[in-house]
């Protein structure tokens, strides 16, 4: 559903026309240089704009062919319809007819039969337009014509000029393109003729009986008919209706009496057809024993319709109506009863202006009837002040002889601008908007029409003599502030047109780029401060005093007129320049601030520089209101050069468009992280950004393109699947309605979107079609596919999760809340036991939220143990988890959970299997092992169902397994997953060679993989396992395998080569030559094997990195070949892995690499600090490093676990300031909240323990304090890795399995002599 403000109709006699063509009612009017075609009050079929800005002056539509003719000052354009059979009715230009430069601008148009078009100006010209335009008749006139109109059969033409009292009646003498002739006669009138109307025939007999109605300036309607066919005049005066006498006030001393009269004719054709339909419907109601309350009105209407009369309706400006019936029109002997009164009633409100002193206050009326049961009679009122009203009612209600509250109701009001809309500005609440054109004409609209929040009502117009640079609305549109290049003005918009009540010039360095209202700590609607900022970082503050009354009241306005005065000038204290600055989109929030100026104050403006630096600003006015202070609340380095567009919301989200106007990024100003990045095509240039928010502060962004608007909504953060944080939920394309590009758009306070295109305003409501492709791709619950509201849809996508959602259960496992996850599954199983479709399901499944927020007891140096706290009887509950899982999966296959989509329900079933497996093995493994096992199982299940989005598990799971003390069990379980036939692809999939700590176990696993790679095919190719055996330094095994590969044509040469001693330089060179040759043949893995054969580990690692692009293979070869203390591995970690982690913002990979290097303090610090700040690198991080995915809330779990594990990690924690740790915890709580896991966020902030800070800072001569004193709870398991520095291999002793004890070996004699210096 949508509402349209199609544009301001031209103040012309022929600006509006209507007809019924092939059963379709068409209403056409002109606005500016645009042609608006409607098929109903809300059904815009097409908008056609002329190529230049020349305004149109007339329009006419042919009821036979559907062609539309329109004209401007120099040509007539004819459009023909197409596509009606296909249901895609449109009009295209058929031809143009040039006009003479000597002709006046005004022109009249009228269609005849067979495509004939009459053009009237200072001459009458008749064109045949069936195939191509052909002039078939012309007659010069002594005076330019004002009205020229064909009769219904095109035999007669009635024309009259400006202020002419004679109607010239042209009678066709002959037909045909070669010989078309007309003669004429006159119909005299006492005063100037103002309007004419030909009767539409009701029968074929009436088609030849011409009847003409003329309206004269003496307020009389004259009916002309062919009473005597033999008279020269053709038509004779049949009767007159005096409009002044027809409508008389009920009270003689009435103050609302008006002399103005308006009239329209209801032809007998429309009246009879519509009356018959109404009576037929009433008969059906009576047959169904339904008593009609308006039976008397129906009887009155049936009595009127007996003689099929014409109805002449006369109105005044105050709702008084008089209707007259005309029967036997054209008979020679008119009887007194041929003109009879139908009704004389009140409350016929057409929306006339009360005054009549100006031509713009006049109104032209046109009526027709259509097959709509609720309002079959339609009256179009074209008010020349720029409005068209579509009014509708039933004829029995219209002519009911008894009083009624409202006889006719407005269906729609068409109005707007007559020029292209350039800018739309909304008030803070969105209840008022100002639309502005290029010629500095503005209209102020208020929301709410007819009890609906969809429509806009035009409040007033504003025409400014200066160029309007920026605008601001105050008091819901009662006042407006316009910023010009060298002045500022205040306008009172309570009456139309708006009047200027204040004007202050200014002189400042730079050009103004921003106009913003400053907040105040207390609610004061009378005193408002508004400021402008220039490109040179200068600004001026003004004070505005407004009256309290919202409506115009002269007694209030005179004693306290609005005022505008200068307060002070100010400067922004920043080093770099400002490319642009704009106010924060309030998105419905109130304008307020705290009493103190700090970073917690509400942002009021956003600025960006040429190098992409975003700044959020707040401001506060001092107590005496003579100065203003500005503060930067947040700064974000986006790295986007030369931004072209930006927009910020009140919930600290900022959208930024790059210089090409095709790249869009959305940033969180509070955390400085990138939430969304998308690149559109060059054909889709971003022109506009508009923010809105739901009542619970969920953000919506409307991205405007030339012909469409895409709505982006916040999604829940999904770190497990790396899901998008923003997603398109609706796309609005206006190409079908108008060819003009979008000028601007904005959100209304109710959530409706207002789009300005050309001179039209389109209002789109909040309803969302669930069948479109945009929404169908989102994971929505099935029961929500009815008619979702936009706000409801966003709540589903970004609201709190139910406890049984698979993402919440996953985060519980990551947070160490395995028992809580088990309780959730047990509660869900109990809740679904008697659940049926249509029932409601408790989001908490009858669990208390306290079980997630009660602080857990710690045991064994930080390992969480919930069993002691909750007193769970393991023997009673945990053996039943498999039964619970089986019952749940059976139930989920039969029922649909209302809170979950079908995809989420499938993931929940998989999660239940994974949790069941984890709990089954929980007794024999630590928490880190359970974390790894859960997500490894989940990955394998999804891999078996659908092609995985990414290869292998993430570095997060690798880190959990790396810090696990149950690696033997994990190795056994992962091997069983592959039926103990693990290949390298499987090992890479589970990250095995990155998380095994014991190098001996690592070598054993690689040897197993080598055997499996060799035996994976029937031919048993030694090439498949060469790299692995050479990494294990087992060349002899490889030689034996080649001895059995008789089928391989490379057997003989390879055996000869491998039989040599590669400790010699000659054979090293031969191996290197073979390696480079294999690189040229793109046999990369085999080439790496030959590099190892030559003893060149570094080149083998480089081949794995740069050619095979397998980091895990490079790490595995380096660790197996020379151990964890090898220089190649350290170089790989230092020069490749850590820079890659810094560029991509991968904190999991960084902490693993630092721990492998023995830098445990940095391994802890990189969880909080930006990774590139801990490295000696000058390369700036990629955009990916700023993504929200780089800040996984599971990092806070790892940080808490590692912080007190060793003295090195405690030392690293001591270098993290309390503010950094505070921000880290609060940020992760926000991340939990964005994930929909509010209970976990509450648990984090409630139970977090900060380290104790030393009371005194030690001097340089004093020893540093013991880091263990920083712990609030002393633990005996803090590993001392500071007093005796160890190698990386030895430093892992406190994390996984203890290192094997060294066996004493007697040293050689030479080594003893060397130790003593001999």
């Amino acid at each position: 559903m949508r509402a349209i403000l199609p544009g301001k109709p031209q103040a012309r006699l022929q600006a509006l026309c209507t007809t019924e063509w092939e059963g379709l009612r068409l209403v056409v009017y002109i606005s500016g240089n645009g042609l608006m075609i409607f098929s109903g009050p809300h059904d815009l079929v097409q908008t056609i704009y002329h190529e230049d800005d020349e305004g149109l002056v007339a329009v006419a539509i042919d009821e036979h062919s559907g062609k539309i003719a329109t004209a401007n000052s120099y040509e007539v354009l004819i459009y023909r319809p197409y596509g009606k059979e296909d249901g895609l009715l449109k009009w295209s230009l058929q031809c143009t007819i040039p006009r003479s430069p000597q002709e006046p601008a005004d022109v009249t148009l009228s269609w005849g039969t067979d495509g004939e078009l009459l053009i009237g100006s200072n001459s009458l010209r008749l064109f045949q337009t069936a195939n191509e335009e052909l002039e078939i008749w012309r007659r010069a006139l002594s005076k330019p014509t004002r009205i020229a109109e064909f009769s219904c059969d095109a035999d007669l033409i009635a024309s009259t000029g400006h202020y002419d009292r004679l109607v010239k009646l042209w009678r066709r003498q002959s037909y045909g393109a070669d010989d078309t002739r007309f003669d004429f006669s006159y119909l005299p009138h006492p005063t100037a003729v103002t309007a004419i109307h030909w009767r539409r025939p009701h029968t074929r007999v009436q088609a030849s009986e011409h009847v003409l109605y003329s309206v004269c300036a003496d307020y009389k309607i004259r009916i002309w008919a062919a009473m005597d066919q033999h008279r020269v005049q053709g038509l004779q005066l049949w009767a007159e209706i005096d409009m002044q006498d027809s409508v008389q006030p009920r009270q003689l001393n009435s103050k609302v009496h008006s002399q103005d009269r308006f009239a329209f004719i209801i032809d007998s054709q429309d009246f009879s057809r519509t009356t018959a339909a109404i009576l037929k419907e009433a008969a059906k109601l009576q047959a169904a024993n339904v008593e009609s309350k308006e039976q008397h009105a129906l009887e009155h209407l049936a009595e009127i319709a007996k003689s099929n009369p014409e109805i002449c309706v006369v109105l005044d400006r105050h709702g008084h109506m008089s209707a007259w019936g005309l029967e036997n029109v054209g008979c020679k002997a008119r009887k007194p009863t041929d003109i009879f009164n139908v009704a004389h009633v009140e409350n016929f409100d057409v929306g006339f202006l009360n005054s009549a002193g100006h031509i713009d206050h006049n109104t032209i009326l046109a009526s027709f009837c259509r097959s709509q049961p609720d309002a079959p009679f339609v009256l179009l009122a074209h008010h020349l002040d720029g409005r068209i009203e579509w009014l509708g009612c039933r004829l029995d209600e219209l002519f009911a002889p008894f009083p009624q509250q409202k006889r006719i109701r407005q269906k729609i009001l068409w109005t707007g601008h007559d020029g292209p809309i350039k800018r739309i500005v909304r008030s803070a609440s969105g209840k008022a908007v100002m639309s502005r054109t290029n010629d500095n004409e503005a209209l102020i609209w208020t929301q709410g029409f007819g009890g609906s929040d969809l429509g806009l009502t035009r409040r007033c117009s504003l025409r400014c003599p200066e160029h309007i640079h920026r605008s601001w609305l105050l008091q819901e549109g009662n006042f407006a502030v316009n910023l010009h290049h060298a002045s500022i003005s205040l306008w009172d918009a309570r009456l139309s047109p708006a009047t200027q009540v204040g004007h202050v010039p200014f002189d400042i360095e730079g050009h103004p780029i921003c106009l913003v209202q400053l907040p105040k700590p207390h609610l004061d609607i009378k005193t408002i401060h508004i400021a402008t900022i220039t490109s040179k970082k200068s600004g001026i503050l003004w004070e505005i005093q407004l009256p309290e009354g919202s409506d115009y009241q002269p007694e209030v306005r005179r004693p306290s007129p609005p005022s505008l005065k200068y307060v002070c000038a100010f400067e922004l204290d920043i080093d770099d320049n400002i490319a642009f600055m704009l106010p924060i989109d309030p998105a419905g929030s109130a304008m307020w601030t705290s009493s103190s100026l700090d970073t917690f104050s509400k942002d009021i403006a956003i600025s960006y520089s040429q190098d992409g630096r975003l700044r959020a600003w707040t401001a506060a006015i001092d107590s005496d209101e003579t100065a203003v202070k500005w503060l930067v609340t947040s700064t974000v380095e986006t790295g986007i050069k030369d931004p072209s567009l930006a927009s910020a919301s009140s919930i600290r989200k900022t959208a930024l468009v790059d210089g090409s106007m095709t790249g869009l990024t959305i940033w969180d100003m509070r955390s400085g992280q990138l939430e969304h990045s998308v690149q559109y095509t060059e054909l889709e240039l971003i022109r506009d950004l508009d923010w809105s928010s739901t009542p619970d502060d969920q953000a919506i962004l409307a991205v405007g393109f030339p012909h469409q608007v895409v709505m982006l909504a916040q999604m829940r953060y999904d770190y497990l699947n790396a899901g998008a944080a923003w997603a398109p939920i609706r796309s609005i394309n206006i190409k079908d309605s108008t060819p003009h590009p979008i000028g601007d758009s904005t959100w209304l306070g109710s959530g409706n979107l207002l789009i300005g295109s050309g001179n039209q305003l389109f209002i789109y409501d909040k309803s969302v079609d669930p069948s479109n492709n945009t929404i169908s791709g989102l994971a929505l619950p099935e029961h929500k596919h009815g008619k979702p509201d936009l706000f409801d849809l966003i709540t589903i996508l970004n609201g709190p999760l139910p406890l049984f959602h698979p993402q919440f259960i996953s985060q519980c496992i990551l947070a160490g809340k395995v028992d809580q996850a088990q309780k959730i599954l047990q509660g869900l199983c109990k809740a679904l036991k008697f659940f049926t479709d249509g029932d409601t399901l408790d989001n908490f499944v009858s669990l208390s939220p306290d079980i997630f927020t009660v602080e857990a007891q710690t045991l064994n140096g930080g390992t969480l143990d919930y069993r002691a706290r909750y007193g769970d009887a393991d023997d009673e509950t945990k053996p039943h988890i498999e039964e619970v899982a089986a019952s749940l999966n059976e139930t989920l296959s039969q029922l649909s959970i209302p809170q979950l989509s079908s995809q989420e329900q499938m993931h929940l079933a998989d999660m239940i299997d994974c949790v069941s497996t984890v709990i089954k093995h929980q007794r024999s493994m630590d928490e880190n092992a359970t974390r790894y096992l859960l997500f490894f199982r989940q990955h394998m299940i999804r891999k078996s169902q659908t092609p995985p989005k990414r290869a292998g598990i993430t570095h997060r799971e690798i880190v959990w397994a790396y810090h696990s003390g149950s690696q033997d069990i994990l190795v056994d379980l992962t091997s069983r997953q592959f039926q103990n036939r693990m290949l390298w692809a499987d090992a890479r999939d589970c990250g095995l060679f990155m998380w095994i700590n014991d190098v001996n176990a690592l070598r054993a696993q690689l040897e197993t993989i080598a055997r499996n790679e060799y035996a994976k095919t029937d031919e048993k190719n030694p090439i498949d396992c060469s790299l692995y055996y050479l990494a294990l330094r087992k060349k002899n095994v490889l030689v034996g395998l080649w001895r059995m590969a008789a089928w391989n044509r490379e057997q003989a040469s390879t055996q000869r080569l491998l039989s040599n001693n590669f400790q010699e330089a000659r054979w090293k060179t031969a191996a290197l030559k073979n390696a480079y040759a294999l690189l040229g043949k793109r046999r990369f893995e085999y080439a790496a094997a030959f590099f190892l054969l030559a003893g060149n580990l570094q080149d083998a690692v480089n081949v794995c990195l740069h050619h095979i692009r397998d980091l895990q293979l490079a790490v595995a070869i380096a660790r197996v070949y020379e151990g964890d203390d090898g220089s190649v591995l350290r170089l790989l970690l230092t020069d490749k892995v850590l820079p890659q982690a810094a560029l991509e913002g991968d904190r999991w990979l960084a902490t693993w690499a630092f721990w492998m290097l023995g830098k445990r303090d940095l391994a802890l610090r990189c969880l909080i600090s930006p990774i590139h700040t801990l490295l000696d690198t000058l390369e700036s991080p990629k955009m990916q490093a700023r993504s929200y995915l780089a800040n996984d809330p599971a990092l806070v779990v790892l940080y808490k676990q590692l912080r007190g594990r060793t003295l090195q990690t405690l030392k690293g924690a001591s270098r993290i300031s309390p503010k950094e740790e505070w921000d880290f915890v609060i940020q992760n709580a926000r991340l939990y909240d964005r994930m929909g896991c509010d209970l976990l966020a509450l648990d984090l902030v409630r139970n977090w323990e900060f380290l104790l800070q030393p009371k005194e800072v030690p001097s340089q001569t004093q020893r540093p304090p013991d880091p263990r004193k920083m712990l609030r709870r002393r633990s005996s398991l803090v590993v001392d890795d500071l007093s005796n520095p160890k190698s990386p291999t030895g430093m892992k002793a406190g994390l996984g399995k203890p290192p094997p004890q060294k066996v004493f070996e007697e040293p050689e004699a030479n080594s003893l002599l060397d130790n003593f210096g001999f």
Side-chain angles (χ1 to χ4, degrees), residues 424-428 431-435 443-445 462 471-482 493 515 517 528 530 546:
I424 302 176
V425 180
R426 56 168 273 175
S427 64
K431 295 180 180 180
V433 294
M434 173 194 285
S435 54
L443 293 177
I444 297 178
W445 311 82
L462 186 153
S471 298
W472 197 272
L473 292 179
L474 304 172
Q475 281 191 5
E476 305 302 341
N478 290 328
F479 299 90
V481 178
N482 290 327
L515 185 67
Q517 180 181 348
I528 294 173
I530 201 161
L546 298 178

Side-chain angles (χ1 to χ4, degrees), residues 497-522:
T499 56
Q500 181 175 303
V501 293
H503 184 270
V504 178
F506 61 82
D507 184 12
I508 192 172
E509 183 182 5
H511 60 275
I513 58 176
C514 178
L515 185 67
V516 58
Q517 180 181 348
L518 270 63
K520 301 194 69 175
H522 52 84

